[in-house]
Amino acid sequence: MEGLTLSDAEQKYYSDLFSYCDIESTKKVASNGRVVELFRAAQLPNEVVLQIMELCGATRLGYFGRSQFYIALKLVAVAQSGLPLRVESINTVKDLPLPRFGASKNEQESRHTTSYSSDTENQGSYSGVIPPPPGRVQVKKGSVSHDTVQPRPSTDQQESTSPVVSPQQSPPTSPHSWRKHNRHPSGGNNERPLPGPGPFWSPFSEAQTGSSAGDAMWSGHSPPPPQENWVSFADTPPTSTLLAMHPASVQDQTTVRTVASATTANEIRRQSSSYDDPWKITDEQRQYYVNQFKTIQPDLNGFIPGSAAKEFFTKSKLPILELSHIWELSDFDKDGALTLDEFCAAFHLVVARKNGYDLPEKLPESLMPKLIDLEDSADVGDQSGEVGYSGSPAEAPPSKSPSMPSLNQTWPELNQSSEQWETFSERSSSSQTLTQFDSNIAPADPDTAIVHPVPIRMTPSKIHMQEMELKRTGSDHTNPTSPLLVKPPDLSEENKINSSVKFVSGNTVADGYSSSDSFTSDPEQIGNTVTRQRSHSGTSPDNTAPPPPPPRPHPSHSRSSSLDMNRTFTVTTGQQQAGVVAHPPAVPPRPQPSQAPGSHVHRPVDAEGLITHTSTSPQQIPEQPNFADFSQFEVFAASSVNEEPDDEAEMHPEVLQVEKTSDPSSSLRVAKPDGRVEEKTAASAPANVGKSTTPLAPPPKPIRRRLKSEDELRPEVDEHSQKTGVLAAVLASQPSIPRSVGKDKKAIQASIRRNKETNTVLARLNSELQQQLKDVLEERISLEVQLEQLRPFSHL
Amino acid sequence: MAVCIAVIAKENYPLYIRSIPAEHELKFHYTVHTSLDVVDEKVSAMGKALVDQRELYLGLLYPTEDYKVYGYVTNSKVKFVMVVDSSNTALRDNEIRSMFRKLHNSYTDVMCNPFYNPGDRIHSRAFDNMVTSMMVQGC
């Protein structure tokens, strides 16, 4: 006979059939009996069969060698396609469908044949497809030959017996796909694969009913549900016992099946395909997937990391490129990990692929992880719109729900709109997404609102400022007002930055400066935050504007409270000032000249108020010195505890600078704060600090620093901690208010409440501190007097 | 209208390069290759500046009479080079930025794929689709 050219599919199929017929495992000769059976199963008239046999030379040779067998098969195909049997037709007929043989248990086979013919391009799957029939045949040992072409229909009719039948049908590919793996190593040994189908056969047997049979499998063309193949890269090969069971039952069924009407097969097939969703995961499949998931990740709500998934799916021996594509399809949220749903989808796709079904371009609807509203999703699946999978929403990872809902709904749109997709991916919890929270990104997802700094409370701060002004003017203690007045300008410019950076202020202030809660002056915060805020569209330039000390880590709300505090402080300060001895005309603590420096009074207040004063309050300047004073005061307080005269000096930096005792500790304290404060207040308190600089700078710094770097100052601070601690505590107690709700009335009200509380506490503190300040001042005065008295003596 | 989009690895070999008019593909390859010098120049000029998105986007690398070349570098020194046709209405800078952002996102998604080995050529279909959409619509 002339040379026979076979396509790859044909080659494989024929070889499988040959193996099937090669009961003696001679690999050379197909037993006549088997061959005849096979040919009969081809449902060709007997004379045709005889003709074929004659043509292929078997009659001549007396046996079916491989080549004869192949030729015979080809002729069968020719005959089945209705073409006249000619020797020449072997090679001349192109695109000949593969010969179809009645499938006993071979719904699979027939399915394969159909799938072969339809999926000739799926070369990869062929080997998988082909093995099963022969393999199965071997298992069944003789049950075969009747290869009815009707795969499904017979199963339909076999429903009663379906447990075994359906497995064969439904996961036609399973065994063979499984086989595929084995084939490669075994090189055609059909025995081995047998164990493979067992496992899933068992699950199938239970579940397999008409429904399962009816599903996916039916459409001869659509990819059979990839139920099969699970075991392929799963783990333990099923026990052969199962197989034994199956073959037996299969045999019975095959007999029954063979009876099945071939005519109905097509109809049924057509019907099934109409509702069949090849991508639908049956319950057994799903259960299997879930079990597999558990082997990797016991927690069903957890994730399978990418690496583990990679190993797992690599076992399926699919090409990396396809696995990569499957991953792309199934990793819905692009987080590099698979949830249960995603895992099932991926598994399903792998099984489908192994069974020869092309991977879809988009994730089929039934495979999409059910998050929220899958109904909204558009076509997606090329198969029927069944969302049978949606039954698993419960398993949808809750963690993804925030972004998922919107994602789910917009998934179809996202598919089409890359822009949305981009937004989504930005929104997704995936850490890999770029943290590009540029303001020009319009996140539809409310979640992003939290991320994006929302300018808020531009007005509140102003309002606060105004309030403070009013209070100032209205109060008797207007002394501080002057410095305060100076503040507003700064504040105003800071305020404008405020809006953009308000949110940031909270950030920047996060330096443990609990007191900063009250402190959260917008200007300061803005200054700091601006400097630190990267992505915020360039509001940074205004860094230098706000002089006040670095903003506290508190969000803007606290700022409001701080404003109140400032107000309170200024009030108290005013009081203090009134009652206090004329302060030495020390250099105004802050560059702001207007401040009536006297700030001894101010200082303690300011110290506390500094925190607050930086907040938009116009007290920036005065508070700075106050702030400084406060630190001094604290030092002083501490010293009062220790009764160190040096503290007094500390307390009045500007005054005592000259006389400043070189108390190492105190100087250290000052120095340290200086350093710290410098850093912190560098941007924020430029102008103000200009004048007083050192004296003032340190005072606030120690406080701030203390709060901020407790550890460093702790030893020194401990002493001071009394007041400052209280103050800090009070300030810190202010809850950080989410910036995003700045405009939220409730939040504002809550914050107002909090602030008021804080205010009262701070007011109390203030009064106490004022009292202490008075005492300290008196001591100072006395000490100064003494010093004066002693000085002349020192010259002696 | 981006006519060519290329993803260059850290070692300056292309991970992905695609151009629209196929006939000029070689020319675009060459253009992208030469633009790498400019990219390196810009990157080194930035020095150790803190990395933020603004610095990821390098801007116009150099214009020619026919087209303009824009660059974008990621934190891992993977470079995206985009060649846009000058004849099109000059794309606004923001649009270029958004295109790069999308590219970066898609690239990140490709990276997430455990089956993708960094350094391999990018075969992801999703990435291809995204690039195609960018090249077709130009924004």
Side-chain angles (χ1 to χ4, degrees), chain A residues 716-729:
Chain A
E716 304 173 0
V717 175
D718 285 347
E719 330 167 315
H720 315 184
S721 58
Q722 326 164 9
K723 297 290 179 174
T724 51
V726 176
L727 179 61

Side-chain angles (χ1 to χ4, degrees), chain A residues 160-186:
Chain A
S160 55
T161 59
S162 57
V164 179
V165 174
S166 42
Q168 293 167 352
Q169 290 183 359
S170 45
T173 55
S174 52
H176 64 261
S177 52
W178 187 87
R179 294 279 291 277
K180 188 153 79 159
H181 302 306
N182 298 331
R183 276 209 89 102
H184 300 198
S186 65

Side-chain angles (χ1 to χ4, degrees), chain A residues 306 310 313-314 320-321 323-325 327-328 334 361 418-419 421-422 425-426 432 434 436 438 534, chain B residues 50-54 72 94 98 101-102 104-105 108-109 112-115 117 123-126 133:
Chain A
K310 177 178 178 175
F313 287 114
T314 307
I320 293 290
L321 196 57
L323 289 173
S324 174
H325 185 61
W327 175 276
E328 273 184 8
K334 303 279 182 260
E361 285 300 319
S418 55
E419 193 61 38
W421 181 247
E422 171 195 356
S425 57
E426 286 179 344
Q432 296 86 353
L434 304 176
Q436 302 162 358
D438 280 349
R534 303 178 284 121
Chain B
L50 35 103
V51 182
D52 63 4
Q53 205 231 348
R54 203 169 312 168
Y72 181 99
N94 268 347
S98 75
R101 212 185 347 264
K102 281 195 288 187
H104 199 163
N105 284 339
T108 309
D109 291 341
C112 285
N113 193 330
F115 299 103
N117 301 318
H123 296 289
S124 152
R125 291 185 219 180
S133 74

Side-chain angles (χ1 to χ4, degrees), chain A residues 553-575:
Chain A
H554 226 67
S556 53
H557 276 277
S558 56
R559 192 159 36 90
S560 63
S561 62
S562 65
L563 286 178
D564 296 341
M565 284 184 59
N566 287 342
R567 224 177 327 171
T568 309
F569 287 135
T570 54
V571 171
T572 28
T573 304
Q575 277 175 338

Side-chain angles (χ1 to χ4, degrees), chain A residues 67 116 119 173 188 313 323 559 576 601 625 659 690 697 774 786:
Chain A
S67 58
Y116 289 153
D119 302 337
T173 55
F313 287 114
L323 289 173
R559 192 159 36 90
Q576 286 288 350
V601 184
E659 312 169 1
K774 279 185 192 170
Q786 289 180 13

Side-chain angles (χ1 to χ4, degrees), chain A residues 134-156:
Chain A
R136 209 144 5 147
V137 173
Q138 287 189 356
V139 179
K140 301 193 190 156
K141 286 284 171 148
S143 59
V144 190
S145 345
H146 5 287
D147 306 346
T148 55
V149 185
Q150 292 66 32
R152 323 255 168 81
S154 49
T155 43
D156 250 2

Side-chain angles (χ1 to χ4, degrees), chain B residues 29-97:
Chain B
H29 276 63
Y30 178 73
T31 305
V32 168
H33 191 267
T34 54
S35 68
L36 291 179
D37 278 340
V38 187
V39 169
D40 281 342
E41 185 186 317
K42 288 200 183 251
V43 167
S44 62
M46 282 195 252
K48 303 188 185 79
L50 35 103
V51 182
D52 63 4
Q53 205 231 348
R54 203 169 312 168
E55 302 192 6
L56 296 181
Y57 173 72
L58 303 176
L60 183 68
L61 296 180
Y62 66 85
T64 70
E65 69 277 11
D66 284 338
Y67 49 81
K68 304 197 255 273
V69 182
Y70 291 89
Y72 181 99
V73 66
T74 69
N75 295 336
S76 56
K77 300 294 177 228
V78 172
K79 308 165 191 63
F80 301 126
V81 176
M82 184 186 322
V83 181
V84 298
D85 205 345
S86 290
S87 59
N88 292 337
T89 55
L91 293 172
R92 289 195 342 250
D93 197 51
N94 268 347
E95 294 171 12
I96 304 283
R97 283 177 192 268

